[in-house]
Amino acid sequence: MNDQRLPEMPHPTLLLVRHAAVDDSDGVCYGASDWSANSAATDALANALAEQLPRDLCVLASPLQRCRQLAVALQARRPDLAFAVDPRLQEFNFGAWEGRRWADIDRHAFDRWFVDFWRRPPATGAETTAAFMNRVAAAWDACHARALDTLWITHAGVVRAAMLIARGARLPINASQWPRDGIRRGTIYAFGLDQPSRNGEAWC
């Protein structure tokens, strides 16, 4: 992320930022697990965001501590960016898969999930893609109704869900419809809520 401020965007704009890196998480499914982010990485990300983000933003954060860490650090640097917690912004809950290495999960379990990607939870105790999309869409619609420029401090899965919502695809029935984009840390994903053609622009 550089030190240049974001270009002018249409109002209302929704900005999404992913939390900083989580230690020892490579190759691990940690969706809704409440793991903390690396402190130094969080501070560096907060410093960069404090330089880039405009004023007069409504800031909402996932309740998971890796996002709250960033929200607190950002608010310390930019007191105008006081935040509130929104549970709808937390990551997808993978249930019994949480904390396991992706490589150790039975590939047949993925196949069973993908057969009914919308309605079938991937594992015991997990949420469905439908439930996940519905809660992210509810948060999106609330932002649109308020018509305020808003920042979400959130997770990769929520950013991907927002990409689908921006395209009008709130029902990704087939797993192939799920975005495969790599969601980079340090990148601000901008969505013009009233201008779909500007949706999903990434600024870094």
Side-chain angles (χ1 to χ4, degrees), residues 120-145:
R120 184 188 185 107
T124 303
E127 66 183 319
T128 63
T129 307
F132 178 66
M133 287 294 297
N134 285 340
R135 65 174 164 87
V136 176
W140 174 289
D141 291 341
C143 287
H144 188 271

Side-chain angles (χ1 to χ4, degrees), residues 107-130:
R107 306 318 295 176
H108 295 298
F110 283 99
D111 294 339
R112 289 191 294 271
W113 180 26
F114 293 164
V115 166
D116 193 2
F117 182 67
W118 180 246
R119 295 174 297 186
R120 184 188 185 107
T124 303
E127 66 183 319
T128 63
T129 307

Side-chain angles (χ1 to χ4, degrees), residues 88 96 100 112 159 200:
R88 296 172 295 190
R100 297 181 61 189
R112 289 191 294 271
V159 177

